[in-house]
Amino acid sequence: MNLRDTLKINGAGHLEIGGIDTVDLCRQYGTPLYALDYAYIKKVATAFGETLRKQYGKGAVAFASKAFSATAVYKLISDLGLFSDVVSKGEMYTALKGGMAAEKLVMHGNNKQDYEIDYAVMNGIGYIVVDSTDEPEIIDNAAKKYGVIQKVLVRLNPGVEAHTHHLVQTAREDSKFGFSIKSGDADTAIKRLFDYKNIRFSGIHCHIGSQIFDRNAFGLAAHIMTDYICKLRDEFGITTDVLNLGGGFGVHYTDKDPLYTAEDYAGYVDFIAEAVNRNVAEKKIPKPFLIIEPGRSLIAESGITLYTVGTVKDIKGIKKYYAIDGGMFENPRYALYRSEYSAIVANKAGEPFGETVTLTGKCCESGDMIAVDIPLQKAVRGDIVAVFSTGAYNYSMSSHYNGNLTPPVVMVKDGKSDYIIKPESYEDFVKNHNIPDFI
Ligand SMILES: Cc1ncc(COP(=O)(O)O)c(C=O)c1O
């Protein structure tokens, strides 16, 4: 359980977030409901940003907005001085609507569509990260059309793979992302960029994995990437202005994961800054503009999802299910990759955990689980369950499966709350449906 910062148990024995009793939130907005804590996002974003500035100097924290793409989040992030990455026209459109400056956006994607590149260039995007051999020509054409020189980074595969506590240095070439350094594909891709008049090679990018707690993984990536900057200079006379080391910093989902504070996240940045500073000094290369792209770590733990308990099914000696009014349509992460969560009965938060239960959704899929065999208070129909750390990759992966509306999202701050994503109606739900004349 991660009761920290504004997440606490109040005098009524209820879970509170952002100074508001979650039971009141449910009364006001209904369930299922995503709630995001403004203070958490601000604290972690500030820690990342300030540490990068102090320990490194020139650089930027780019929120990996696939974690939660919403106008209010882009507004908050840009007010805090962050950049953002986007992976589609839809994310870029939302970012611009949220007031994010185009030049602070970095576009990723292993299969960017021509219309996405056109839109990005037309709107003056900061950087496009080249991730396929076809892209330079499409970018060049778009840049020519709009009379600009488009800055690009190239996504590299540095042969470092890190997930949770496992760090492996691999020669694995099988990834849909990036050009391999080892095979020489990276050299070829970068040299080719100089054939295009409307593109400027600005730098290199890598992203080594997700939910990483081993900071050495970032140190290793920094080392390999700065070595490569050196190679570009020494072998091909190419200057690299930007080094983007991606995201992937781990968060707390269950007590198996460390519970990091904003200071701990600052520690990651400190470590990365120190590794890059050391390597560039040793190799005598100009200090690149350093970008990091945290997604999950900026927003996952700001979020909880609130549900109402419905059916309680006790299969004696096997499993006890609490069916909640959400499910894989608003959090598909268990169904996708068996992710784990911790939870609390929000209106009985002060009571001890006496049960081992499985939180299951309302969808017609056996794999429609939110959390399996977790400790929880005893609950009955009508109780409120809060699942922690649902701020990243939940709303953004939601769907309408089984005719369920995507739940609204509220942001809470100092006892105030408001929608950042309003509730859908059934009218919205069918607004693009069409019955052809021939039926
Ligand atoms: C290119 C890139 N950058 C950043 C991220 C963010 O990763 P995380 O949310 O684990 O920090 C991702 C996640 O897939 C990514 O693909």
Side-chain angles (χ1 to χ4, degrees), residues 92 130 143 166 196 225 255 296 302 323 326 349:
M92 180 156 176
V130 171
H166 307 291
Y196 298 96
M225 296 291 274
D255 287 341
R296 188 188 314 269
S302 80

Side-chain angles (χ1 to χ4, degrees), residues 64 66 85 108 155 205 207 210 247-249 293-296 393:
K66 56 187 77 77
D85 83 1
H108 288 291
R155 181 161 180 166
H205 168 274
H207 172 73
S210 262
F249 314 107
E293 294 175 330
R296 188 188 314 269
Y393 304 108

Side-chain angles (χ1 to χ4, degrees), residues 136-428:
E137 188 170 342
I138 306 168
I139 300 171
D140 188 64
N141 286 338
K144 190 169 174 198
K145 177 171 156 194
Y146 295 111
V148 295
I149 303 294
Q150 180 60 52
K151 287 186 282 181
V152 300
L153 309 181
V154 177
R155 181 161 180 166
L156 305 184
N157 187 342
V160 178
E161 264 189 43
H163 298 281
T164 314
H165 302 288
H166 307 291
L167 166 61
V168 265
Q169 199 167 358
T170 97
R172 211 166 69 99
E173 302 291 306
D174 180 11
S175 168
K176 76 170 190 170
F177 298 110
F179 295 96
S180 153
I181 292 182
K182 197 168 177 152
S183 70
D185 287 353
D187 301 351
T188 313
I190 292 171
K191 282 192 285 176
R192 269 193 63 218
L193 293 176
F194 292 87
D195 295 342
Y196 298 96
K197 288 201 183 64
N198 308 290
I199 289 181
R200 186 161 101 224
F201 168 73
S202 291
I204 54 176
H205 168 274
C206 70
H207 172 73
I208 56 171
S210 262
Q211 193 56 0
I212 303 168
F213 290 106
D214 182 353
R215 53 175 74 184
N216 294 318
F218 296 105
L220 182 57
H223 190 76
I224 294 171
M225 296 291 274
T226 44
D227 263 356
Y228 189 69
I229 292 177
C230 211
K231 174 180 177 180
L232 286 177
R233 183 196 58 187
D234 296 346
E235 291 186 20
F236 312 121
I238 294 174
T239 307
T240 306
D241 297 328
V242 178
L243 172 61
N244 182 335
L245 292 175
F249 314 107
V251 306
H252 181 277
Y253 285 109
T254 70
D255 287 341
K256 290 184 214 156
D257 305 315
L259 185 53
Y260 277 5
T261 60
E263 291 71 37
D264 294 322
Y265 286 122
Y268 274 114
V269 182
D270 204 4
F271 188 81
I272 292 171
E274 145 79 23
V276 178
N277 276 330
R278 190 173 358 97
N279 292 344
V280 296
E282 267 169 23
K283 288 165 194 138
K284 299 189 175 49
I285 46 176
K287 198 165 158 160
F289 186 85
L290 179 62
I291 302 180
I292 52 165
E293 294 175 330
R296 188 188 314 269
S297 51
L298 267 177
I299 202 158
E301 289 185 53
S302 80
I304 56 172
T305 310
L306 294 161
Y307 304 101
T308 303
V309 176
T311 306
V312 174
K313 179 174 181 178
D314 194 356
I315 310 173
K316 290 276 176 261
I318 298 184
K319 241 184 189 40
K320 186 164 188 177
Y321 289 101
Y322 288 175
I324 42 85
D325 52 354
M328 60 193 291
F329 63 94
E330 49 75 29
N331 182 359
R333 294 187 65 253
Y334 177 84
L336 276 175
Y337 35 71
R338 298 287 179 265
S339 54
E340 295 182 87
Y341 286 98
S342 49
I344 198 168
V345 178
N347 56 317
K348 296 177 176 167
E351 295 178 14
F353 285 2
E355 304 274 289
T356 297
V357 302
T358 291
L359 293 177
T360 182
K362 63 188 284 293
C363 296
C364 297
E365 293 283 336
S366 306
D368 174 30
M369 308 290 172
I370 299 293
V372 175
D373 291 334
I374 57 163
L376 206 65
Q377 292 90 347
K378 189 174 172 57
V380 294
R381 190 178 194 89
D383 281 336
I384 305 292
V385 167
V387 175
F388 295 107
S389 303
T390 58
Y393 304 108
N394 282 220
Y395 174 78
S396 50
M397 285 187 173
S398 64
S399 72
H400 288 140
Y401 183 54
N402 278 175
N404 288 295
L405 302 177
T406 305
V409 187
V410 293
M411 188 166 277
V412 291
K413 182 190 177 209
D414 302 331
K416 292 191 294 269
S417 68
D418 201 353
Y419 287 121
I420 64 165
I421 308 273
K422 293 181 191 162
E424 291 179 322
S425 68
Y426 288 103
E427 201 50 47
D428 295 333

